[in-house]
């Protein structure tokens, strides 16, 4: 079924009404930048996407129709499109007769930009692990509060995947990461989910480096011996959650992560900046 085409409303001819209103006010001590018309159009379309007036997969009007709708020039519409493309809210197929295609906002876009900012500030790996230590124990508490049989079943599936992956250190690291991510996802807190998405790539890259070196120097028997305490700790957390013990779940998971961080950060404390660039 083809995606529906959406016709948008005018925001005022060339945005002149908005600019004039801003010019007519006095701002003491303020350095006010009057936004360009393309930015106003991009903001109008962005709001329609965020509010759900434009759905994922919808098409905007053609550039010619948008020129008429907004009473602006073609370069202005193209600049608005560039802004929205950079935010990955639309995609434009060059030469297509359809308009730009709409995309729902993605957490990965925010995470990628946030990661770049963190790296530019010289953020350390230890800093990122400390942030996750703040988030996950509270997520465990929230899951225990809800005490859902479905949540418990999904967490147990993650534990089984981790156990089955033990002979392969790289697969095991991925399975452990999946357990951590599932824990926050099941908390139902969208803000915590976004925070974890931001640090996910940093943690994945760091732990992949560690497990790669382990795989080269450690036998399968030794890997299993190293992995089993973590598996048992996962199972203990699930028992707290299943019992609805909020305080026990939070306390246990904080202790687990403090101990795990000592292992993952051995030799990396306070001196290794994150690196997200290939």
């Amino acid at each position: 079924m083809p995606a529906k085409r959406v016709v948008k409303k005018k925001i005022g001819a060339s945005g002149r009404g908005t600019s004039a209103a801003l010019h007519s006010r006095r701002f003491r001590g303020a350095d006010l930048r009057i936004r360009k018309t393309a930015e106003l159009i991009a903001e109008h379309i962005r709001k329609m996407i965020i509010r759900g007036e434009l759905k994922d997969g919808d098409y905007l009007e053609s550039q010619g129709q948008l020129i008429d709708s907004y009473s602006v020039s073609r370069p202005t519409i193209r600049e608005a499109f560039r802004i929205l493309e950079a935010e990955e809210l639309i995609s434009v197929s060059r030469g297509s007769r359809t308009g730009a295609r709409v995309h729902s906002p993605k957490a990965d876009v925010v995470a990628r930009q946030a990661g770049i900012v963190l790296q530019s500030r010289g953020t350390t790996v230890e800093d990122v692990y400390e942030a996750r230590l703040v988030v996950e124990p509270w997520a465990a508490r929230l899951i225990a509060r809800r005490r859902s049989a479905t949540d418990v079943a999904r967490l147990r599936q993650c534990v089984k995947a981790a156990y089955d992956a033990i002979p392969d250190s790289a697969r095991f690291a991925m399975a452990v990461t999946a357990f951590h991510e599932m824990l926050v996802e099941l908390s139902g807190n969208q803000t915590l989910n976004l925070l974890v998405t931001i640090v996910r790539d940093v943690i994945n890259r760091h732990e992949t480096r560690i497990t790669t070196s382990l795989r080269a120097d450690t036998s399968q028997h030794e890997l299993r011996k190293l992995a089993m305490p973590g598996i048992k700790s996962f199972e203990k957390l699930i028992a707290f959650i299943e019992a609805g013990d909020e305080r026990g779940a939070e306390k246990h998971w904080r202790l687990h992560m403090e101990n795990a961080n000592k292992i993952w950060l051995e030799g990396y404390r306070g001196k290794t900046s994150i690196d997200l660039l290939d």
Side-chain angles (χ1 to χ4, degrees), residues 56-265:
D56 188 74
D58 285 347
Y59 287 93
L60 302 181
E61 294 174 320
S62 68
Q63 288 193 18
Q65 291 171 314
L66 290 174
I67 289 169
D68 293 337
S69 294
Y70 290 115
S71 300
V72 295
S73 64
R74 186 174 297 276
T76 297
I77 292 297
R78 286 177 175 169
E79 185 177 353
F81 274 20
R82 282 193 292 271
I83 293 170
L84 294 169
E85 277 190 289
E87 297 171 353
E88 297 189 26
L89 292 176
I90 66 169
S91 57
V92 180
S93 299
R94 310 301 172 189
S96 173
R97 294 186 178 182
T98 61
R101 189 162 192 166
V102 173
H103 303 292
S104 298
K106 298 178 180 63
D108 286 346
V109 177
V110 177
R112 187 161 55 248
Q113 292 300 316
I116 291 170
V117 172
L118 289 174
Q119 183 168 343
S120 72
R121 294 179 177 178
T123 303
T124 63
V125 174
E126 183 180 8
D127 189 284
V128 172
Y129 273 81
E130 286 177 347
R132 190 170 71 160
L133 180 58
V134 174
V135 171
E136 287 194 25
W138 186 254
R141 186 183 189 101
L142 293 177
I143 299 172
R145 179 178 301 171
R146 189 164 59 188
R147 197 179 176 181
S148 163
T150 301
D151 292 349
V152 169
R154 293 181 69 183
L155 288 171
R156 282 187 172 142
Q157 286 176 354
C158 286
V159 173
K160 183 180 184 304
Y163 182 82
D164 292 343
I166 287 176
D168 185 327
S169 58
R171 280 183 58 219
F172 178 73
M174 291 175 61
V176 168
T177 298
F179 183 87
H180 284 272
E181 291 177 355
M182 178 65 69
L183 194 66
V184 180
E185 178 187 332
L186 294 179
S187 75
N189 187 294
Q190 295 302 316
T191 305
L192 293 185
N193 269 282
L194 180 58
L195 292 174
V196 167
T197 301
I198 290 172
V199 302
R200 180 183 59 202
D201 284 350
V202 177
I203 290 171
N204 284 350
R205 283 172 179 257
H206 176 70
E207 293 184 0
T208 297
R209 292 190 190 103
I210 301 297
T211 53
T212 299
S213 63
L214 276 176
R215 184 170 46 189
D217 304 327
T218 311
S219 68
Q220 287 191 5
H221 174 73
E222 290 173 312
L223 286 173
R224 184 176 295 277
K225 188 176 179 180
L226 289 170
M228 284 310 298
I231 294 291
K232 291 179 180 178
S233 182
F234 291 173
E235 292 172 341
K236 187 174 181 179
L237 172 65
I238 293 173
F240 279 120
I241 290 172
E242 192 169 26
D245 186 346
E246 299 178 32
R247 185 174 178 275
E250 181 182 6
K251 183 179 179 181
H252 170 73
W253 200 241
R254 184 177 303 280
L255 180 61
H256 169 92
M257 293 191 67
E258 287 173 348
N259 290 331
N261 285 2
K262 291 176 185 177
I263 297 171
W264 290 117
L265 295 173

Side-chain angles (χ1 to χ4, degrees), residues 8 11 35 38-54 60 70 79-90 102-105:
K8 287 150 296 306
I11 62 171
R35 289 184 298 169
E39 293 173 332
L40 295 173
I41 294 172
E43 180 180 353
H44 182 240
I45 296 173
R46 185 187 303 115
K47 286 180 178 178
M48 295 179 73
I49 295 172
I50 293 170
R51 291 169 180 164
E53 297 170 29
L54 289 170
L60 302 181
Y70 290 115
E79 185 177 353
F81 274 20
R82 282 193 292 271
I83 293 170
L84 294 169
E85 277 190 289
E87 297 171 353
E88 297 189 26
L89 292 176
I90 66 169
V102 173
H103 303 292
S104 298

